[in-house]
Amino acid sequence: MAMQSTQPLGEMLISKGVITSDQLQIAVKEQARTGKRLGEVLVSLGFCIEEDISSVVARQVGVKMVELQKIEPDSKALDLVDQGFAKENKLVPVKLDGDTLVVAMDNTLDVMIIDQLQARTGKFIEACQATESDILQAIEDFYGGVSSQDDIIEQLSLQAEQTGSTEGEEEEEGESPVIKLVDQILLKGVKIGCTDIHLEPDTNTIRTRYRIDGILQQGPSLPKSLQSSLIARIKIMSNLNIAENRLPQDGRFRFHIGKRQIDLRVSSFPTVHGENIVMRLLDKAKVILGLDKLGFTPKNLEHFKRMISRPSGIILVTGPTGSGKTTTLYAALTYLNNSERKIITLEDPVEYEIPLIRQGQINVRAGFTYSAGIRSILRQDPDIILVGEIRDVETAEIAIQAAMTGHLVFSTLHTNDSASAFPRLIDMGIESFLVSSSVIGVVAQRLIRKICPDCKTEYTPTEEEWGKLGLKEGDRKYKFYQGKGCNTCNETGYSGRCAIYEVLSVGQRIEKLILERADEPEIQAVAIEEGMMTLFHDALIKAVNGQTSIAEVLRVTYTGR
């Protein structure tokens, strides 16, 4: 075992740039109030995620950090430690190597637990670091047997069909096979890292599909006979009207895996075969990221940090639905969040709750619109305002007024690139001089899939791909890669996503073009002259660096022009 570090956790995290000293002061006060562990408080406040703390602690004490999702259960190791002891002490046996038992632990410095484990097993204990959530999930997965999640779902659906579950059984919490079936569908979604779960009733079956890295993948098929009880269970969890099946409904609920909290936004939609259900998984751990983890190149990150450090003005983040705009905005707000600033948001809906930031939920029926909300926010003495989306001229005008009276305003627009944001605002009816004097920068973005590291292999683009990339003979010296497909990535060749960015800072030349109502190509040309990297070129850099494939670059950014 490595020697214990005498440096407190808070100082370690500050020295590694995970949190700021101001965030630590806030967390220490909250710790004194609640009595919780500092790491737990920092995560609950949204200042960092479990993986940040575990990796810093692992480096500091000289132990390995492991990702339990990528490890196959070792039955010999599991036989040495019973499930109750593992769960109580937040540890999981990983591997038996001769007389050495490798164990993943939440706290690798707990010498007493290591001594107990050594006495119980008669083996030398080699501790490695993992997050508490990953350990608790691994205990359920490893000790639950080798059955795949799909096998478990199919077994539960068969049990539910045989018992003839009805809506009334939903009250018997934890007993009904339908309840267990819904829990397993959700667990599978979390485990495979999907963003949306689709339940689609058809003529003779209920299809399940999971959106992973932006692409829908087929899940288990469920018996048609479970349709009413399955949908009723989800509606009850989401506080929806189970008697109403003719109109669309929206709701949300919270699902816990150990101490990990997953919020789900639920949408029902009537079809000819029954109600279609889509559940969007909102995992705060995947959203509250540091700016350096989003995918910015060093140059783009420097431009963006300089932009958001301005005291006033409007910063727009553009892109289609599902392009990661919320993640970028929340990362920026977390970066700026401290005890000296008041940050207020207007969102529709509030997807993730961030402690210390005042978040407002739009309610159009009650008259709480974006425009009405901004007027009220300005009377709340904010420093920074987030307006979820600029949808109309009234909202845009008030946002501009806020920016021109000393506030930093963040918002989003649905445009294909950064240069299109200015003509869009002017087309809404905003005077060009107001746009040029208030907008200080625009960030366009998309999400692009990353190559699976376990099946990454070198790849030579075809002549057609070279042509679409527009690269000349002299530029064809770079190496490119693709994923062949393996068990880790479910034969897709991709694992995870990162963002590609186009960061446009408004300088004097672009201000003048906006005043003259120049169109998008003119603005883009000047921005490129001044050093802006387009979405295509940012994606190409990530392909050259081996993060993504040429096929993915073309899928996300190719316009045919």
Side-chain angles (χ1 to χ4, degrees), residues 466-476 478 480 536 540:
W466 283 123
K468 288 179 178 179
L469 291 172
L471 296 179
K472 299 175 183 177
E473 287 293 334
D475 297 324
R476 298 189 182 188
Y478 301 110
F480 295 102
F536 169 75
L540 194 57

Side-chain angles (χ1 to χ4, degrees), residues 42-109:
L42 287 166
V43 172
S44 68
L45 289 172
F47 292 154
C48 60
I49 58 177
E50 280 186 290
E51 285 79 0
D52 290 332
I53 296 173
S54 289
S55 61
V56 167
V57 170
R59 286 199 302 270
Q60 195 73 14
V61 300
V63 300
K64 291 189 296 184
M65 179 80 185
V66 294
E67 294 182 64
L68 294 172
Q69 302 95 327
K70 295 184 178 179
I71 292 175
E72 288 292 327
D74 184 339
S75 58
K76 291 180 181 178
L78 293 170
D79 289 341
L80 291 171
V81 183
D82 66 83
Q83 185 173 357
F85 183 86
K87 200 164 190 176
E88 181 184 349
N89 296 290
K90 298 186 180 70
L91 57 88
V92 62
V94 172
K95 182 183 177 183
L96 180 60
D97 187 4
D99 288 329
T100 299
L101 179 64
V102 181
V103 180
M105 301 179 66
D106 172 43
N107 181 9
T108 54
L109 300 176

Side-chain angles (χ1 to χ4, degrees), residues 276-498:
N276 202 80
I277 301 287
V278 175
M279 295 178 281
R280 169 152 289 187
L281 279 67
L282 308 170
D283 187 353
K284 190 186 294 185
K286 293 184 177 180
V287 170
I288 308 302
L289 301 173
L291 289 176
D292 58 332
K293 296 179 181 177
L294 295 178
F296 283 109
T297 61
K299 183 179 177 182
N300 276 343
L301 181 59
E302 181 188 345
H303 287 326
F304 187 60
K305 281 185 175 178
R306 192 183 306 134
M307 194 186 292
I308 66 176
S309 297
R310 299 266 292 270
S312 63
I314 295 180
I315 296 169
L316 297 171
V317 179
T318 77
T321 301
S323 58
K325 299 189 296 294
T326 299
T327 301
T328 299
L329 288 169
Y330 280 1
L333 293 183
T334 303
Y335 175 79
L336 296 169
N337 192 20
N338 62 40
S339 57
E340 297 175 355
R341 296 188 178 104
K342 182 162 186 175
I343 303 174
I344 306 182
T345 75
L346 274 176
E347 303 172 61
D348 185 20
V350 174
E351 293 192 356
Y352 302 90
E353 295 176 15
I354 312 176
L356 304 182
I357 294 178
R358 306 297 86 206
Q359 294 173 268
Q361 168 77 55
I362 292 299
N363 188 336
V364 176
R365 289 184 180 178
F368 188 25
T369 60
Y370 277 121
S371 53
I374 300 177
R375 288 193 184 94
S376 297
I377 281 178
L378 292 175
R379 294 191 287 272
Q380 289 284 311
D381 188 31
D383 298 292
I384 299 169
I385 300 169
L386 166 64
V387 182
E389 184 182 348
I390 292 179
R391 295 177 178 173
D392 53 52
V393 63
E394 187 179 10
T395 305
E397 286 174 343
I398 302 170
I400 287 171
Q401 178 190 344
M404 297 180 73
T405 53
H407 302 87
L408 185 64
V409 181
F410 290 89
S411 192
T412 69
L413 276 179
H414 289 286
T415 61
N416 289 328
D417 54 37
S418 54
S420 301
F422 308 106
R424 174 66 58 85
L425 289 172
I426 292 170
D427 289 344
M428 278 185 182
I430 306 299
E431 292 292 343
S432 59
F433 73 90
L434 291 174
V435 176
S436 66
S437 58
S438 61
V439 179
I440 58 177
V442 183
V443 176
Q445 68 177 88
R446 299 287 188 280
L447 291 178
I448 196 162
R449 290 183 293 173
K450 296 190 292 185
I451 297 171
C452 172
D454 291 346
C455 60
K456 183 176 177 181
T457 185
E458 196 171 327
Y459 171 74
T460 302
T462 64
E463 282 301 319
E464 182 183 359
E465 287 172 331
W466 283 123
K468 288 179 178 179
L469 291 172
L471 296 179
K472 299 175 183 177
E473 287 293 334
D475 297 324
R476 298 189 182 188
K477 58 188 176 183
Y478 301 110
K479 288 184 178 179
F480 295 102
Y481 300 87
Q482 67 176 6
K484 288 167 52 179
C486 64
N487 290 333
T488 303
C489 61
N490 200 22
E491 303 300 331
T492 63
Y494 298 98
S495 179
R497 290 187 291 179
C498 66

Side-chain angles (χ1 to χ4, degrees), residues 161 200-207 221-227 273:
E161 191 177 28
E200 303 169 330
D202 216 327
T203 309
N204 301 310
T205 188
I206 305 170
R207 267 199 315 274
S221 293
L222 308 176
K224 181 74 171 177
S225 59
L226 295 181
Q227 181 171 313
H273 296 297

Side-chain angles (χ1 to χ4, degrees), residues 235 243-249 270 275:
K235 282 186 168 183
E244 178 58 74
N245 56 17
R246 301 163 301 171
L247 297 172
Q249 297 185 68
E275 289 179 276

